[in-house]
């Protein structure tokens, strides 16, 4: 690059990308749902949303988690799809494909049957989009952490210095 | 705060404010040398901006400008636009580093002489020795407040450490301790002590871990010889007709293109951005990029042989409580070719919160087997394996002309394929790591593949002869004597140890050389 074309070039600092948007790009299209309330959709229809939620559970099944946490992942997808017609199409058509493999009702299948269907679409752009979203959105939801024994932020409680940082008592030679 | 004029051609421009650039800036300013430090990232305040949340801090501190990756390493498949996890902030990667501060071993400065010719590797001896660097290791340890040096007590071991220590002793390992850590075990240098928060990777909310953000940078500012310009992204280093560098072109915080004149330019943008900047500064006089007569700029990229092992136990460990890198096993760190590879490795505890563990335990994985492993979160202990990888000419940073950044410049492509020595070492380390946990009754152990690179080294390496590398033993360009490299990209080989202490020691040493040469009017 020469000095001349550097100065000719019109440099625009793009200030529109949010930090979360940048994370999403860096990690191949994932984003973070802020809440875990009952599913509220603005873009996807309810049945598509519920089908996606079922897909989320097939991907990351945990008996200790109720559907509300998987619904929350779908809310994040729904919010992303609001201004992203390509994503909306990907999600809608993806669910149609799931249904096509399920006698037109993915939701009606048992968990085992749903798994068989999901394996058929593994690696598709739809699958990859949903999986990479859920693996962040689900486990970043602070409301599930205690169910795994993860205690989350510690600074507000003064760290673990007086709260069990070295309290292990079952090791040999104790 | 001191301000320097854009046309002031007497200043030293330092690009980057992390372990290398932040330290060098302060050391020069303390000597009365005027420094303008250009930092691409934002200026965060640890008291108000740091939070104990993994993804939220990742979005605040990580370098997320686009990069691409290629080669056979798994990171290129799982994280094609995130080959490295390093920081874009004032303080650079000293925000998220874990604090491990180990000196290199004597033989590690003599890679070629010690290991001999290794097929496919581009080994070379450093042009400096441990004896050359020892006085600066002393200064760096004092500056950073490294535990178990200068009479500073060791940190107490947390649960994750106690599990690793018990397993190590059961296996017969001897060199097991809570590490030499740049984390205050007692108040020091105006900063408080560690309260075992965890979240060392998210920036230390206590300010107990050394970071240039709240040590070197404010100390430099207090001299009146230093100006920090945050959110100032350098696009090109410029030179005069005589082939000396004379300034830098950068985009400022307001999106305006500026040019800062300079007497000397020091590049400390980490081992991906530093060579990228030299390559993007190509000119008629230097068509292959600055400082690149050897063709070695961007080559010999090293990232350490890494991997992790998690052990799953019957009872709770709570690995997330307390410092992330809470201790170390050093018995495998020597050079012992009987193991089937040259060089050595360390085992250091690591812990991830549930959000990061889900993303990094087995990237791309899903289904019951995977979630069953996460269900054991509470009962897991974790360790990171870090060892010397082989420099290879073909593992390199290049400009990807197909992909441009916000400013229209080609992004960096990071190409990595493991050397057979790397693969042999990782396999040995995986086995030993698992054995540590199995020796005390682990129900299961999990091998975790390397994360996106946190140690990025070697792409502007030091060499005795100009044909073999980019800079001399002072980090000074062989080709352009007023152009310096001041970060880990000057490493000739990667050694076994975590690199930050050595980056800081080299920066202190380099500052003395620059001051001497300036006084003698040689540069």
């Amino acid at each position: 690059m020469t000095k001349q074309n550097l100065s000719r070039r019109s440099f625009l600092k793009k200030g529109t990308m949010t930090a979360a948007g940048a994370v999403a790009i860096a990690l191949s299209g994932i984003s973070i749902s802020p809440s875990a309330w009952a599913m509220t959709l603005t873009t996807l229809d309810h049945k598509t949303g519920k089908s996606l939620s079922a897909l989320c559970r097939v991907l990351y099944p945990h008996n200790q988690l109720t559907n509300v946490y998987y619904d929350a992942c779908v809310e994040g997808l729904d919010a992303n799809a609001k201004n992203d017609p390509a994503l909306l199409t990907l999600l809608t058509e993806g669910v149609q494909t799931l249904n096509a493999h399920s006698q037109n009702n993915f939701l009606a299948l048992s968990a085992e049957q749903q798994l068989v269907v999901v394996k058929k679409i593994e690696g598709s752009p739809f699958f990859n989009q949903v999986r990479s979203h859920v693996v962040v959105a689900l486990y970043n939801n602070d409301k599930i952490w205690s169910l795994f024994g993860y205690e989350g932020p510690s600074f507000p409680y003064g760290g673990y210095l007086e709260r069990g940082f070295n309290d292990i008592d079952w090791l040999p030679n104790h | 705060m001191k301000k320097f004029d854009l046309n002031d051609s007497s200043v030293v421009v330092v690009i980057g404010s992390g372990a290398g650039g932040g330290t060098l800036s302060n050391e020069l300013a303390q000597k009365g040398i005027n420094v303008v430090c250009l930092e691409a990232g934002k200026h965060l305040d640890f008291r108000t901006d740091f939070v104990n949340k993994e993804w939220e801090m990742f979005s605040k501190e990580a370098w997320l400008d686009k990069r691409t990756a290629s080669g056979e390493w798994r990171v290129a498949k799982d994280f094609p636009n995130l080959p490295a996890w390093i920081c874009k902030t004032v303080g650079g990667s000293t925000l998220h580093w874990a604090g491990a501060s180990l000196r290199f071993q004597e033989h590690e400065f003599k890679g070629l002489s010690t290991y001999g010719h290794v097929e496919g590797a581009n080994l070379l001896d450093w042009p400096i020795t441990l004896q050359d660097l020892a006085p600066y290791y002393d200064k760096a340890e004092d500056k950073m407040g490294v535990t178990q040096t200068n009479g500073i007590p060791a940190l107490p071991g947390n649960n994750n450490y106690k599990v690793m220590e018990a397993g190590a002793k059961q296996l017969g390992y001897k060199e097991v301790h809570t590490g030499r850590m740049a984390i205050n075990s007692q108040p020091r240098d105006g900063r408080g002590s560690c309260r075992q928060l965890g979240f060392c990777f998210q920036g230390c909310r206590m300010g107990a871990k050394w970071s240039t953000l709240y040590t070197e940078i404010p100390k430099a500012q207090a001299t009146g010889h230093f100006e920090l310009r945050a959110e100032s992204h350098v696009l090109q280093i410029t030179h005069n007709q005589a082939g000396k560098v004379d300034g830098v072109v950068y985009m400022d915080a307001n999106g305006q293109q500026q040019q800062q004149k300079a007497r000397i330019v020091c590049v400390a943008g980490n081992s991906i951005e530093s060579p990228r900047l030299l390559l993007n500064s190509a000119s008629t006089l230097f068509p292959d990029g600055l400082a690149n007569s050897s063709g070695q700029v961007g080559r010999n990229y090293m990232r350490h042989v890494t991997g992790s092992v998690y052990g799953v136990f019957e009872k709770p460990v709570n690995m997330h409580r307390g410092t992330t890198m809470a201790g170390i096993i050093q018995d495998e760190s020597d050079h012992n070719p009987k193991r089937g590879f040259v060089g050595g490795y360390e085992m250091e505890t690591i812990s991830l919160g549930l959000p990061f563990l889900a993303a990094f335990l087995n990237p791309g994985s899903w289904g019951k087997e995977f979630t069953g492993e996460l269900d054991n979160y509470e009962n897991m202990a974790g360790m990171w394996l870090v060892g010397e990888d082989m420099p290879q000419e073909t593992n390199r940073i290049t400009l990807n002309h197909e992909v441009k950044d916000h400013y229209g410049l080609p992004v960096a492509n990071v190409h990595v394929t493991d050397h057979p020595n790397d693969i042999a070492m990782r396999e040995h380390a995986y086995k030993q790591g698992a054995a540590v946990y199995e020796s005390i009754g682990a129900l299961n152990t999990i091998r975790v593949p390397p994360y996106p690179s946190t140690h990025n080294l070697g792409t502007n390496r030091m060499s005795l002869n100009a044909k073999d590398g980019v800079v001399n033993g002072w980090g000074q360009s062989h080709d352009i004597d007023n152009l310096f490299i001041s970060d880990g990209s000057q490493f000739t080989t990667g050694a076994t140890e975590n690199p930050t202490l050595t980056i800081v020691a080299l920066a202190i040493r380099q500052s003395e050389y620059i001051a001497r040469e300036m006084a003698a009017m040689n540069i």
Side-chain angles (χ1 to χ4, degrees):
Chain A
M1 184 173 51
T2 67
K3 278 184 208 177
Q4 205 181 7
N5 70 27
L6 239 190
S7 54
R8 258 208 322 265
R9 196 187 296 266
S10 148
F11 282 105
L12 277 177
K13 186 155 189 165
K14 290 184 182 163
T16 51
M17 189 187 292
T18 63
V23 172
I25 285 167
L27 293 172
S28 318
I30 53 190
S31 68
I32 295 165
S33 170
S35 67
W37 301 109
M39 189 158 62
T40 311
L41 303 175
T42 61
T43 305
L44 297 164
D45 67 74
H46 188 71
K47 187 164 184 199
T48 300
K50 276 295 177 190
S51 302
L52 287 168
S53 182
L55 171 59
C56 293
R57 184 182 277 284
V58 172
L59 290 171
Y60 296 102
H62 291 283
N63 292 335
Q64 67 272 40
L65 298 183
T66 61
N67 286 341
V68 69
Y69 301 111
Y70 297 100
D71 289 353
C73 298
V74 178
E75 285 181 356
L77 284 169
D78 180 69
N80 293 347
K82 191 172 182 180
N83 297 309
D84 186 346
L87 177 60
L88 179 59
T89 303
L90 187 73
L91 296 174
T92 308
E93 292 182 358
V95 170
Q96 285 166 3
T97 306
L98 287 177
N99 284 330
H101 288 293
S102 317
Q103 291 170 329
N104 221 22
N105 198 347
F106 180 71
L107 275 174
L109 301 183
S110 69
E112 289 73 21
Q113 292 169 322
Q114 286 177 340
L115 177 61
V116 172
V117 172
V118 171
K119 279 186 174 163
K120 288 181 184 167
I121 64 152
E122 184 175 7
S124 67
F126 165 68
F127 174 94
N128 290 340
Q129 181 80 35
V130 175
R131 193 208 62 76
S132 59
H133 171 81
V134 181
V135 74
V136 173
L138 181 64
Y139 299 104
N140 199 47
N141 186 337
D142 57 13
K143 294 178 184 68
I144 74 164
W145 291 346
S146 63
L147 299 171
F148 290 80
Y150 177 54
E151 297 167 283
S154 72
F155 177 77
Y157 310 101
Y160 290 106
L161 190 60
E162 285 121 24
R163 295 192 312 128
F165 83 105
N166 62 352
D167 65 355
I168 196 162
D169 61 2
W170 52 261
L171 289 167
N173 310 321
H174 254 79
Chain B
M1 295 285 184
K2 181 72 184 172
K3 297 265 185 211
F4 293 101
D5 193 274
L6 288 167
N7 290 314
D8 185 344
S9 59
S10 73
V11 301
V12 175
V13 165
V14 176
I15 302 166
S17 62
T23 302
L24 177 67
S25 292
N26 182 33
E27 292 290 322
L28 290 172
Q30 297 293 336
K31 298 180 205 313
I33 294 167
N34 291 333
V35 174
V36 173
C37 180
L38 300 172
E39 166 56 55
K42 287 187 175 165
H43 200 163
L44 302 180
D45 184 328
F46 76 94
R47 289 155 298 200
T48 52
D49 294 313
F50 287 13
V51 292
N52 288 172
K53 291 197 172 179
E54 291 178 312
W55 285 120
E56 186 176 340
M57 275 312 295
F58 181 79
S59 71
K60 284 186 185 179
E61 69 182 358
W63 185 289
L64 297 169
D65 296 19
K66 196 159 190 180
R67 289 172 175 147
T68 57
S70 59
E72 290 173 26
W73 60 330
R74 187 172 156 181
V75 167
K77 174 179 162 280
D78 294 330
F79 304 101
N81 298 126
L82 191 76
W85 174 21
I86 49 185
C87 294
K88 183 180 181 179
T89 50
V90 173
S93 295
T94 64
L95 263 72
H96 84 150
W97 79 307
S101 302
L102 303 166
R103 296 184 182 205
F104 284 10
Q105 304 166 73
E106 186 160 15
H107 72 266
E108 290 173 330
F109 290 94
K110 299 168 183 162
L112 182 58
S113 305
T114 308
Y115 306 150
H117 175 70
V118 175
E119 185 68 35
N122 194 23
L123 283 165
L124 194 67
D125 290 354
W126 289 57
I128 61 173
T129 63
L130 178 61
Q131 287 67 38
D132 292 324
L133 206 52
Y136 301 95
Y137 274 140
D138 289 343
K139 291 181 184 193
E141 286 166 347
D142 182 49
K143 174 194 285 290
M144 300 161 80
V146 177
T147 58
Q148 307 201 63
T149 75
N150 296 286
I152 301 169
L155 284 160
N158 66 4
N159 292 329
N160 201 21
Y161 170 71
K162 286 179 157 187
V163 173
M164 188 177 83
E165 181 194 47
K169 291 190 170 165
Q170 192 70 32
L171 264 193
Y173 282 142
K174 306 283 186 231
E175 294 174 63
V176 190
H177 56 92
T178 61
R180 291 181 176 77
M181 305 298 294
I183 297 176
N184 278 350
S185 56
Q186 55 193 23
R188 190 175 192 271
D189 196 28
R191 294 180 289 118
S193 59
C194 174
R195 290 197 55 82
Q196 299 288 334
L197 267 60
F199 300 99
C200 299
F201 290 164
Q202 282 66 48
C204 182
R205 179 62 182 81
M206 296 298 301
K209 179 184 76 183
W210 180 83
S211 169
T212 55
L213 173 63
Y214 40 72
T215 60
E216 306 305 302
I217 301 292
K219 286 178 185 183
Q221 284 170 327
T223 64
H225 293 287
F226 174 82
E227 180 185 350
L228 173 70
R229 294 183 201 154
E231 297 176 69
S232 295
H233 191 125
V234 177
L235 308 168
Q236 184 186 22
I237 300 168
T238 58
H239 62 79
N240 62 21
Q241 288 179 338
K244 305 284 184 194
V245 296
D246 62 2
V248 298
V249 175
Y250 69 99
M251 194 62 71
D252 72 13
N254 299 318
Q256 301 296 312
Q257 189 177 315
Q258 306 288 358
Q259 183 161 22
Q260 172 66 52
K261 296 286 182 189
R263 177 172 170 185
I264 293 168
V265 174
C266 302
V267 184
N270 211 313
S271 291
I272 297 175
E273 292 307 313
S274 289
R276 176 182 176 229
L277 178 59
L278 296 181
L279 295 171
N280 267 333
S281 300
S283 64
T284 310
L285 191 57
F286 300 110
D288 298 323
L290 297 185
N292 198 21
S293 66
S294 64
Q296 293 290 312
V297 168
R299 293 186 185 273
N300 314 303
Y301 171 72
M302 295 172 286
R303 55 166 332 257
H304 274 145
V305 169
T306 66
S308 308
V309 175
Y310 290 85
V312 180
F313 293 88
E314 196 181 345
K315 293 182 179 172
V317 175
N318 290 310
M319 67 172 170
H320 61 279
R321 294 183 185 169
T323 52
T324 304
M325 210 157 267
I328 188 166
I329 302 171
Q330 297 200 278
D331 294 70
E332 301 284 1
S333 66
D334 56 340
H335 168 57
N336 172 13
K338 284 180 190 158
R339 293 173 299 187
F341 53 87
V342 301
Y345 63 89
E346 318 272 358
M347 295 181 247
E348 302 171 342
T349 76
I350 196 168
S351 63
L352 299 179
L354 186 69
F356 269 15
L357 195 69
F360 295 113
L361 185 67
N362 189 2
S365 192
W366 60 282
K368 252 184 193 162
E369 194 181 335
F370 176 75
T371 55
E373 288 177 339
L374 290 178
D375 283 338
N376 290 315
Y377 181 82
E378 190 176 24
N379 296 357
M380 279 185 186
M383 70 168 75
W384 194 51
L385 310 162
V386 51
E388 178 164 7
D389 58 341
M390 289 293 104
Q392 301 178 73
E393 278 204 321
T394 47
N395 281 354
R396 60 187 293 204
I397 310 303
T398 53
L399 299 179
N400 185 340
H401 291 277
E402 307 296 310
V403 184
K404 305 287 169 66
D405 69 4
H406 308 332
Y407 312 115
L409 297 176
V411 305
N413 184 69
V414 183
H415 183 93
V416 175
T417 295
D418 281 333
H419 187 277
N421 196 77
D422 306 340
I423 293 167
M425 179 187 287
R426 184 179 297 115
E427 183 61 25
H428 192 275
Y430 272 145
K431 280 184 183 158
Q432 292 307 112
V436 165
Y437 292 138
E438 283 159 1
S439 75
I440 50 165
L443 304 175
N444 180 28
T445 58
I446 305 168
R447 291 182 172 195
V448 173
Y451 311 121
S453 312
T454 51
H455 298 172
N456 296 272
L457 307 165
T459 52
N460 295 303
R461 71 178 183 179
M462 281 188 180
S463 64
L464 186 61
N465 298 313
K467 68 177 174 46
D468 297 324
V470 178
V471 297
N472 65 18
W474 304 101
Q476 180 179 32
S477 159
H478 286 301
D479 300 345
I480 304 171
D481 62 12
N482 65 339
L483 175 62
F484 288 79
I485 301 295
S486 314
D487 58 20
S489 69
Q490 59 185 319
F491 284 21
T492 309
T493 50
T496 302
E497 293 75 15
N498 310 57
T500 301
L501 180 74
T502 300
I503 293 172
V504 172
L506 287 171
I508 300 169
R509 181 170 175 271
Q510 185 181 71
S511 76
E512 292 183 4
Y513 177 77
I514 289 175
R516 226 165 35 233
E517 291 295 287
M518 287 176 82
M521 299 303 287
N522 288 333
I523 47 175

